[in-house]
Amino acid sequence: QAASTTATAAAAAALVMWGFFAVGLVVMACAIGWLLRRYAAPSVPYIVLATTAYAWAVSMSIVLITPIDVWAALKHQPERGIGILWRVTYWSTQVLTWLALPFFQVYADAGDFTVGGRCLTSLKENGLLYGLAGAAGAVGLLVIVVYERTLALSDLPALGMALSNTFGLSAGILLMGYGLVEIPREMWKSDPGHLLKWCAHRAGRFAEDVLRTTNELESVVTIIVANDKQMPRRDPLRPYMAAISTAAEQESPVKPSSVVASGYDMDTLAADDLEYNYDKAGLAALRRRLAAAIHDFKGAHAQYEEVIRQALDQEAIIKCRQLGVYEPPGLAAGEAGWRGYAARALWRWRCVGQPIGRKVMAALLVCFSGCVVWSEATIFTGGHPDLSPFSRAIRGSLGSEWGLQLLVMMPLAYICICTYFALFRINAFNYNKLLPRTTTGAALMQNGSLMARFAAPTCWNLLHMVNMDGVIDGQGGTTVFTQVRPAAAQIGV
């Protein structure tokens, strides 16, 4: 009977644990759907959306798997499903980071006219990148071998894993550090007058981007018109040139027909601009340049329109606060019904409550960031003594399963938000910049690749912070992640 009672309790605990995981999956799916809806351009193929969604899902899933892993380890109730989840998540992030996403993002960005041509371009560009990285690694390895004469060939895999781990942890901590400071700082900006000035500053910067991208798109369309006119009708490359002209007419906000109607001066074009039609590779480069110009044009306009809307909202808020009348703009005066009451309550919150709420939240986030920094700084103690506030809180809540999992999830989610916030802010030549409703498939997959790259290091960092990166108690308990990760040491983190 005692054994039956124990088995029933274990089954109930497992049910609660997986219920926590299921609820988290629903929230994660909603978050991914919102991100794709907000940032992805309408022209992005569904296969790209699905690949990006999967990359984001396996990256975010560590926030759900780690809490149940820690709970099972502390309770000494091993779950086979946790090991399966970790292996799928870990190896998915590695394959996505190093193979799948780099290939598909160059494929989506290439301007070639056939599937084989795009695949070849992707293989060439990725091969060049990995070749340069491999050459740099070989030089570094040679230097290490020269200075460390006792280094044997059998030590090279461990050395490679250590270097990879060092990079992942170091870069992840740097990104996290940016988010730990910037997120509370952004939240503190709550005064409507200050926000209006910030919107005006950004509007001026985005206006310059609009002008620059408009000039580039007009130049590209003019080049297309000039090359199209210059190419003979019986030229073997004529079908490819026609495909570019048709794409420009259908997809570009600046139409070739309008350029022809308004007249264009070929003397303003450089000599290189008229050499795209010499071969198929040149036309592919022109097609790729057209796609980039269209994306930059739409992205710059989307950013400018968004910041203008934000500025108008802030002006309306300032006016309402000055007059003391909190009537939302666009709502008919005296409109009754639940919609009218809800709109007025929401607008009053934005005018009065939101500035205060943002400052309170900023103060709480500062405290949370301080706890994260303190936990990072005390990792060297190894838990003897245990100076991590997160570790002490987790170990003190063993009686509450959901409470323990929430206490693991909160710092891990905050660390992930800080790290990914920094990744979303990275604008490497605008290649992976996320723009509202205009982000290309290549940029989406680049961000998915970066998120997958730092998923495992973020989890490893959290386990160090809460002193659970090895044996977690006197009974030899360990998390499944620490058991799975050495098995994947061939790639490392």
Side-chain angles (χ1 to χ4, degrees):
Q1 183 177 4
S4 175
T5 303
T6 303
T8 303
L15 181 63
V16 173
M17 179 184 70
W18 291 112
F20 179 90
F21 183 77
V23 172
L25 280 180
V26 174
V27 175
M28 183 182 71
C30 293
I32 292 174
W34 179 83
L35 287 171
L36 290 175
R37 181 179 178 83
R38 171 171 171 74
Y39 290 110
S43 59
V44 175
Y46 287 112
I47 185 64
V48 173
L49 293 177
T51 304
T52 303
Y54 182 72
W56 285 352
V58 296
S59 302
M60 296 179 183
S61 63
I62 66 167
V63 178
L64 305 177
I65 303 175
T66 305
I68 62 176
D69 189 8
V70 170
W71 177 85
L74 289 174
K75 287 290 189 176
H76 300 281
Q77 296 183 4
E79 287 283 339
R80 183 171 177 268
I82 298 176
I84 296 173
L85 286 173
W86 268 131
R87 286 177 174 84
V88 170
T89 299
Y90 184 89
W91 286 106
S92 293
T93 58
Q94 300 302 323
V95 172
L96 288 167
T97 298
W98 301 112
L99 297 176
L101 289 177
F103 175 83
F104 284 115
Q105 72 186 65
V106 178
Y107 176 91
D109 192 51
D112 299 87
F113 299 92
T114 62
V115 173
R118 291 191 170 197
C119 290
L120 186 60
T121 298
S122 180
L123 291 174
K124 285 181 179 178
E125 295 191 11
N126 282 290
L128 178 62
L129 175 62
Y130 285 127
L132 293 174
V139 172
L141 180 61
L142 181 62
V143 172
I144 293 175
V145 170
V146 170
Y147 283 93
E148 294 289 340
R149 299 183 182 277
T150 58
L151 188 68
L153 289 177
S154 58
D155 298 328
L156 294 183
L159 175 63
M161 185 183 68
L163 293 176
S164 181
N165 290 344
T166 301
F167 170 79
L169 287 172
S170 300
I173 289 174
L174 288 175
L175 292 169
M176 181 190 70
Y178 174 83
L180 289 175
V181 175
E182 192 64 19
I183 290 179
R185 182 169 169 266
E186 289 285 333
M187 188 64 66
W188 185 261
K189 297 176 182 176
S190 58
D191 179 67
H194 179 78
L195 292 176
L196 181 59
K197 292 180 180 178
W198 178 238
C199 287
H201 170 73
R202 296 175 65 207
R205 181 159 55 87
F206 291 151
E208 294 178 358
D209 292 340
V210 167
L211 181 60
R212 175 182 54 79
T213 56
T214 301
N215 292 335
E216 169 63 11
L217 183 57
E218 290 177 349
S219 298
V220 172
V221 174
T222 303
I223 291 170
I224 292 173
V225 171
N227 280 271
D228 184 69
K229 182 178 180 180
Q230 194 180 47
M231 180 177 289
R233 290 186 177 181
R234 298 184 182 276
D235 193 301
L237 298 175
R238 166 55 65 179
Y240 302 113
M241 188 72 245
I244 296 175
S245 299
T246 301
E249 190 68 36
Q250 294 177 352
E251 301 174 12
S252 173
V254 179
K255 309 295 182 184
S257 56
S258 63
V259 171
V260 173
S262 61
Y264 62 95
D265 186 6
M266 291 186 61
D267 294 335
T268 60
L269 301 178
D272 295 343
D273 293 335
L274 301 176
E275 297 179 357
Y276 282 106
N277 58 9
Y278 284 177
D279 54 21
K280 192 175 176 180
L283 292 177
L286 179 59
R287 188 184 182 198
R288 189 173 190 174
R289 184 178 174 185
L290 172 64
I294 293 174
H295 165 251
D296 292 342
F297 177 91
K298 291 181 177 179
H301 280 73
Q303 284 184 304
Y304 182 73
E305 292 170 2
E306 186 176 40
V307 76
I308 290 299
R309 284 195 296 268
Q310 292 174 356
L312 293 175
D313 284 346
Q314 296 304 322
E315 285 184 346
I317 290 174
I318 292 173
K319 184 177 179 180
C320 289
R321 286 164 63 100
Q322 290 174 344
L323 298 177
V325 179
Y326 303 102
E327 192 71 15
L331 186 67
E335 181 177 341
W338 69 270
R339 291 186 178 179
Y341 291 122
R344 290 185 180 89
L346 179 61
W347 184 252
R348 190 177 184 88
W349 160 255
R350 292 189 60 187
C351 295
V352 180
Q354 191 177 52
I356 301 173
R358 285 175 65 95
K359 287 190 179 297
V360 172
M361 180 60 68
L364 294 176
L365 291 177
V366 167
C367 297
F368 213 86
S369 295
C371 290
V372 172
V373 173
W374 175 259
S375 298
E376 292 279 1
T378 57
I379 285 177
F380 70 95
T381 65
H384 304 288
D386 190 354
L387 301 178
S388 170
F390 299 122
S391 175
R392 297 177 71 88
I394 291 169
R395 286 177 165 82
S397 60
L398 290 176
S400 173
E401 182 176 344
W402 273 61
L404 186 149
Q405 295 182 44
L406 285 174
L407 287 173
V408 176
M409 174 182 282
M410 286 192 298
L412 180 58
Y414 187 61
I415 290 172
C416 288
I417 290 172
C418 292
T419 303
Y420 296 153
F421 175 84
L423 285 176
F424 276 54
R425 284 288 185 94
I426 292 175
N427 300 323
F429 308 105
N430 290 334
Y431 181 67
N432 63 329
K433 190 173 184 179
L434 293 178
L435 303 171
R437 298 172 299 282
T438 57
T439 306
T440 62
L444 288 172
M445 287 187 287
Q446 172 69 7
N447 279 275
S449 177
L450 290 172
M451 288 180 67
R453 176 66 183 92
F454 292 103
T458 303
C459 175
W460 192 239
N461 186 32
L462 184 277
L463 293 179
H464 276 83
M465 287 172 50
V466 297
N467 301 311
M468 296 184 185
D469 52 305
V471 177
I472 62 177
D473 55 23
Q475 302 179 37
T478 59
T479 61
V480 177
F481 179 79
T482 58
Q483 301 169 21
V484 170
R485 190 167 167 272
Q490 296 155 346
I491 292 181
V493 183

